[in-house]
Amino acid sequence: MIRKTVFGATLALLAASAAFTVTPAEAADSASVVKHYAELAEAKYQDSLTTAKALDAAIDALIATPGEATLKAAKEAWIKARVPYQQTEVYRFGNPIVDDWEGKVNAWPLDEGLIDYVDPSYGTESDSNPLYVANVIANPKIKINGEDYDATDITPETLRGLNEAGEIEANVATGYHAIEFLLWGQDLHGTGPGAGERPYTDYDKANCTGGNCDRRAAYLKAASTLLVADLEDMVKAWAPDGEATKNVEADPKAGLTAILTGMGSLSYGELAGERMKLGLLLHDPEEEHDCFSDNTYASHLNDAIGIKSAYTGEYVRVDGTKMTGPSLSELVAAKDKALDTEVRGKLDATLDAMNAMADRAQKVEAYDQMIGEGNTQGNAVVQKAIDGLVDQTKSIERVIAALDLGTVELEGSDSLDNPDAVFK
Amino acid sequence: MTYGGKLRGIPISPLEGGDARQGRGGYFPATFIDRLRYDVVTPLCHSRDISPSRGEIRGSLPPSSSLTCNGFPSEWTGWGGASSRQSMTPAIRRKSIPIFLLPVLSGALLLTPLIAAGGDPIFPTTRSDLNPKDQKRVEAVTRPTTDFSKPEQFELMEGGAATSRAIVNGNAFSHFSANLTFEEEETFKLGNALFTKLWVSAPSSTQASDGLGPLFNARACQSCHLKDGRGHPPEGSADATSMFLRLARPARTDEEREAIADYRKLNFPDATYGEQLQDLAVPGLKSEGRMQISYEEIPVTLAGGEVVHLRKPAYSVAGLSHGPLESDVTVSPRVAPPMIGMGLIQAIHESDILAKADPDDRDGDGISGKPALVRDHRSGELKLGRFGYKAQNATIRDQSASAFAGDMGISTPDNPSSHGDCTKAEAECLAMPTGVQERLGPVEAPDPVMELVTFYSENLAVPARRDLADPTVLKGKQLFQQSGCIACHTPKFVTRRDAGNKAHAFQLIWPYSDFLLHDMGEGLADGQQVGVADGREWRTQPLWGIGLTETVNGHTFFLHDGRARNLTEAILWHGGEAQKARDAFAALSKDDRAALVKFLGSL
């Protein structure tokens, strides 16, 4: 009995050590790092798919039995679905396949007047967007660039045709944020407390509020169906023989560049800049990523978790399973131990700042209140997370230099390596 | 394998190895501001009155008759402008010109008017940024190819190392230069957010976003620059967003003629409606009127009997709010041009553009090529115009500030009139509130808005070529060259080594433009003088990315007013100096014409 326990503990210990300390041969191998990066992608997109399917089921329940409980359950399912998805965002920027696809699922910001009714304060016209208040749910026939568009039947195809209608990027008809709007409605509280307050009766055909409850339900279901289908595409792309996997594995050195490009671009320009700094500059609640649900803090936090994961090779799946494997961190440590410590320290510092922001969002005030003008304390909390992201990017640049990734070949531009080739 | 992956923190130039590029401190890097100032060497004079109707002049303007700017006297009238071509007779002070330039000068006397009477060249006449060895290398690599059996080396990367390699889709014109640092990427993204931002009328709860109008054509930059691409004529839609009418009249008095000759004015606005017709206005104000277009179909027969119809537009204004335009005011329609590659264009060395100039056609090839001379809006310095359909702006910043003012009615530090294009005759317009917030500064779009939008506009990447090794494309490339198109659509340049942004430095780029003004014939003439450009002259449009217009914008309307419905029609509209090339195209067999068009589609 005792022996058995000890044996079991030893096994567990062995398993743990096998999981957390890979052999040096593996660690130093960029091919295995890239392979594991692809495995994590598959797992993260798989988790995004699983939670999106749960959301889809919750939406079915809401449509079948509109009520406070089913609406609340659908909202909770949406918030859960955002967790793994946001952690995949670090796969953008370095992987062309992801970039090509991403707009379908996570485009933002959106002019919600295209989709459904909006508050009169939203205004009625925008020259830049003739579809600003097209309200597809209320109007089966709309005009796009002077041509009739038939939305009598709201199907996934109908929504595809509406996305970026009239070449306007803000005409977002599909993805997480379209669903978010249909669940929460507009957040009319500005930088005050409160999120969107759409009533469940917007889906109640018997006691319909907002009009066209059947079409609203059809729209929500179509958007949810598309989200599931789009995520299925991305899971396939990251399967061992998928296109995205093949792309990163074909040239491990270029694959490492893809990892670091994703980490740096998401940290600095995308998250610190466009999603956070801009809102602070303008103090504009519209500059909030998950603006209907007030879930922005979680969205940002999970981006940061994803960035760290791309470096450490660690990921906790939605079922609690922990994945580990050959990591960029080990590769860096083998070359420059101090640099690895520096990067890990900075990634953790950012996470601390993000967690502090999340804590404040849950206990004190929502993200859109934090960026409000004159809110010195709130502004500072957001600023600290921005500073962390900017600071970690400096170290990411040092990693690029340390791993000698300055000579990655870009197809068709051999001049990059051979500048004199141009000149006879 | 295609990789979007690029090296961060490391600039890569096709012509130069990758020196490690240091990150820059702060959100709005000092070098960023430095770049905007880098070529402002010495203020020539403080003539800020480039935009006549906006009135505000920073600094004082000396009496124009005695104006001397950096030894450049106003008596000298330069090319075009109010003066005729025959008037260009300033003597060259040869002793002041480097000996190695003499062959160039004696051959064509091209640079004559660019040399001030005092002897100082207004523009460098050689690649001051290159040593003789590099100079030779650049000459070799920019020479037009003679081998059409395969693509040229580096031809894929149309915008050098800045070229975007993203998968081609509707966002093809919206990517940033591939060789930006992470930090610059952020600046680009903030610029993008402002570029897509909807400005609202004042007063508004979102104070940082108000100030629209009172008269305007669009609420956001992106309203016209759809997907950072090409605008289009209304084509049945009610409003004309992405296209508008410029209003201008020629000089009437000696004083006005002098102002044009001295480059202080490009032309003069309508006394009532200003510089352009704004077809929208904030609530409570009437818009100025509506552009109206009617088309007349004109059949054209090509070799082999194919008949192509060109639609000839006629423009007028309906519903003018304050009575007719002045009798000598002309209207000139403009669609929003694509935004790609502009920082690279800005980084082309003046001497490379001037080397192609031949305003008096001394080489007798029927092609002139007139450089546009314009004043920098802020410094008043004389510069080479390269942006806009008439090359009326020397910098992207000037082009952007003009658009803020004229198109959206938003004041900027460069152009502080918060009532936009309202004139004195439009008193009710001047009485409307502005969006200026004292605490944010004296203008509606305070710093760093201009910096961010300018940076964004400088760094929209040119997409990589597609199908460039296709035999038909290569044949089309040969026909394009043989038909004489490259006489103006210059294929290649190597940008300056000392470009303000390293990402634009020493890149081999393929814009297919000489950035000079050419007489394009009566068919395309708008009869409107813009500075040096007369009413028949237009700047050669760059062709890079033209093949992706349909992918990005869902249409193929080309030329300054979108009258051409496809590339063939666009070519057939070419007249004047381009008549010979146009005729050569029309005389090609149908297959050859298709090959040439397919080549354009691969750009």
Side-chain angles (χ1 to χ4, degrees), chain A residues 93-94 96-97 99-100 111 125-128 130 132 145-146 164 166-169 246-251 254-255 257-258 260-261 264-265 268-270 272-274 277-278 281-282 284 373 383 386-387 390 393-394 396-397 400-401 405-408 410-416 418-424, chain B residues 1-10 12-17 23-24 26-28 137-138 141 153-154 156-157 161 165 167-169 171 174 181-183 185-186 189-190 192-194 196-198 206 208-209 216-220 222-223 226-228 230 232 235 237 239 241 280 439 452 552-555:
Chain A
F93 310 108
I97 288 178
D99 287 331
D100 187 42
D111 281 350
E125 59 175 287
S126 159
D127 65 288
S128 73
Y132 191 58
N145 279 353
E164 291 206 350
E167 305 155 72
I168 306 289
E169 289 167 32
K246 279 196 262 179
N247 263 0
V248 287
E249 288 185 349
D251 177 355
T257 305
L260 288 157
T261 301
S265 290
Y268 206 138
E270 182 74 19
E274 189 163 15
K277 181 77 183 173
L278 188 73
L281 275 177
L282 302 175
D284 184 350
E373 188 166 3
Q383 185 63 50
I386 294 172
D387 292 343
V390 170
T393 310
K394 307 281 180 226
I396 292 167
E397 284 171 343
I400 292 172
L405 295 175
T407 54
V408 175
L410 299 186
E411 185 190 356
S413 56
D414 42 347
S415 57
L416 304 184
N418 187 13
D420 287 327
V422 200
F423 309 113
K424 305 290 185 279
Chain B
M1 184 190 63
T2 307
Y3 246 101
K6 63 195 176 226
L7 275 312
R8 302 319 186 118
I10 299 165
I12 307 164
S13 154
L15 302 183
E16 194 168 33
R24 299 162 178 174
Y27 273 93
F28 312 114
R137 298 159 80 194
V138 166
V141 77
Q153 206 176 10
F154 318 118
L156 178 78
M157 304 292 273
R165 307 291 315 276
I167 293 173
V168 168
N169 59 23
N171 296 324
S174 300
T181 63
F182 288 124
E183 186 169 6
E185 209 179 290
E186 186 205 44
K189 288 197 172 185
L190 294 179
N192 178 40
L194 292 166
T196 56
K197 179 184 187 56
L198 285 177
T206 48
S209 307
F216 60 96
N217 292 101
R219 283 187 170 86
Q222 190 202 229
S223 307
L226 296 159
K227 301 291 290 174
D228 305 298
R230 195 179 290 266
H232 56 81
E235 298 300 321
S237 292
D239 85 67
T241 297
L280 294 167
R439 65 200 163 78
L452 294 171
V552 172
N553 296 116
H555 68 75

Side-chain angles (χ1 to χ4, degrees), chain A residues 29-223:
Chain A
D29 180 354
S30 49
S32 65
V33 169
V34 168
K35 184 166 183 287
H36 183 60
Y37 169 76
E39 286 164 358
L40 288 189
E42 190 186 17
K44 289 180 181 184
Y45 284 112
Q46 182 63 57
D47 283 353
S48 304
L49 176 61
T50 308
T51 50
K53 282 180 173 166
L55 170 63
D56 189 52
I59 284 170
D60 284 343
L62 168 66
I63 293 169
T65 331
E68 293 288 3
T70 46
L71 178 60
K72 185 163 176 274
K75 286 178 176 177
E76 281 168 6
W78 186 89
I79 285 175
K80 279 186 189 156
R82 290 293 284 168
V83 173
Y85 177 75
Q86 285 302 103
Q87 293 187 35
T88 70
E89 278 216 287
V90 75
Y91 287 83
R92 293 178 58 193
F93 310 108
N95 298 289
I97 288 178
V98 179
D99 287 331
D100 187 42
W101 163 92
E102 185 271 344
K104 294 191 280 192
V105 297
N106 199 35
W108 167 87
L110 77 154
D111 281 350
E112 55 266 36
L114 166 72
I115 300 175
D116 200 358
Y117 70 85
V118 286
D119 187 81
S121 67
Y122 187 73
T124 55
E125 59 175 287
S126 159
D127 65 288
S128 73
N129 190 357
L131 301 167
Y132 191 58
V133 285
N135 190 353
V136 175
I137 285 173
N139 299 295
K141 295 210 193 302
I142 59 169
K143 275 191 188 292
I144 299 176
N145 279 353
E147 286 177 24
D148 290 323
Y149 189 80
D150 188 352
T152 309
D153 297 318
I154 299 183
T155 63
E157 292 69 39
T158 314
L159 303 198
R160 280 274 192 258
L162 281 174
N163 226 15
E164 291 206 350
E167 305 155 72
I168 306 289
E169 289 167 32
N171 284 334
V172 176
T174 66
Y176 287 104
H177 296 299
I179 296 172
E180 181 192 6
F181 169 58
L182 286 169
L183 293 177
W184 271 270
Q186 282 180 295
D187 179 356
L188 299 172
H189 302 284
T191 51
E197 294 172 1
R198 185 185 290 280
Y200 74 85
T201 45
D202 275 9
Y203 293 96
D204 187 345
K205 283 162 209 144
N207 304 289
C208 180
T209 52
N212 305 290
C213 286
D214 50 341
R215 289 178 60 82
R216 186 171 298 106
Y219 196 117
L220 180 58
K221 178 62 188 173

Side-chain angles (χ1 to χ4, degrees), chain B residues 38-39 123-124 127 129 138 142 341-356 384-387 394 490-500 504-516 539 542 544:
Chain B
Y38 84 98
D39 40 14
F123 299 114
R127 289 289 297 257
D129 58 323
V138 166
T142 53
M342 294 206 295
L344 295 166
I345 295 171
Q346 194 166 251
I348 296 173
H349 199 276
E350 284 88 351
S351 67
D352 284 347
I353 295 174
L354 295 174
K356 306 265 303 173
L384 188 59
R386 7 183 132 193
F387 300 103
T490 308
K492 295 175 267 185
F493 288 93
V494 172
T495 58
R496 52 198 308 157
R497 242 193 215 290
D498 55 357
H504 304 146
F506 211 48
Q507 301 296 327
L508 173 61
I509 60 169
W510 309 67
Y512 293 91
S513 171
D514 58 6
F515 303 100
L516 296 169
R539 181 200 69 162
W544 52 14

Side-chain angles (χ1 to χ4, degrees), chain B residues 514-581:
Chain B
D514 58 6
F515 303 100
L516 296 169
L517 298 163
H518 297 276
D519 179 336
M520 293 300 291
E522 201 51 42
L524 286 173
D526 63 353
Q528 192 172 91
Q529 178 193 353
V530 181
V532 170
D534 69 28
R536 293 164 61 97
E537 290 175 320
W538 299 91
R539 181 200 69 162
T540 309
Q541 287 299 104
L543 300 180
W544 52 14
I546 199 165
L548 289 172
T549 306
E550 182 151 30
T551 304
V552 172
N553 296 116
H555 68 75
T556 53
F557 296 114
F558 297 110
L559 299 175
H560 65 277
D561 57 358
R563 68 177 71 185
R565 288 162 293 195
N566 52 53
L567 290 167
T568 300
E569 289 185 22
I571 296 167
L572 293 172
W573 272 108
H574 283 55
E577 296 172 26
Q579 187 71 41
K580 250 166 66 182

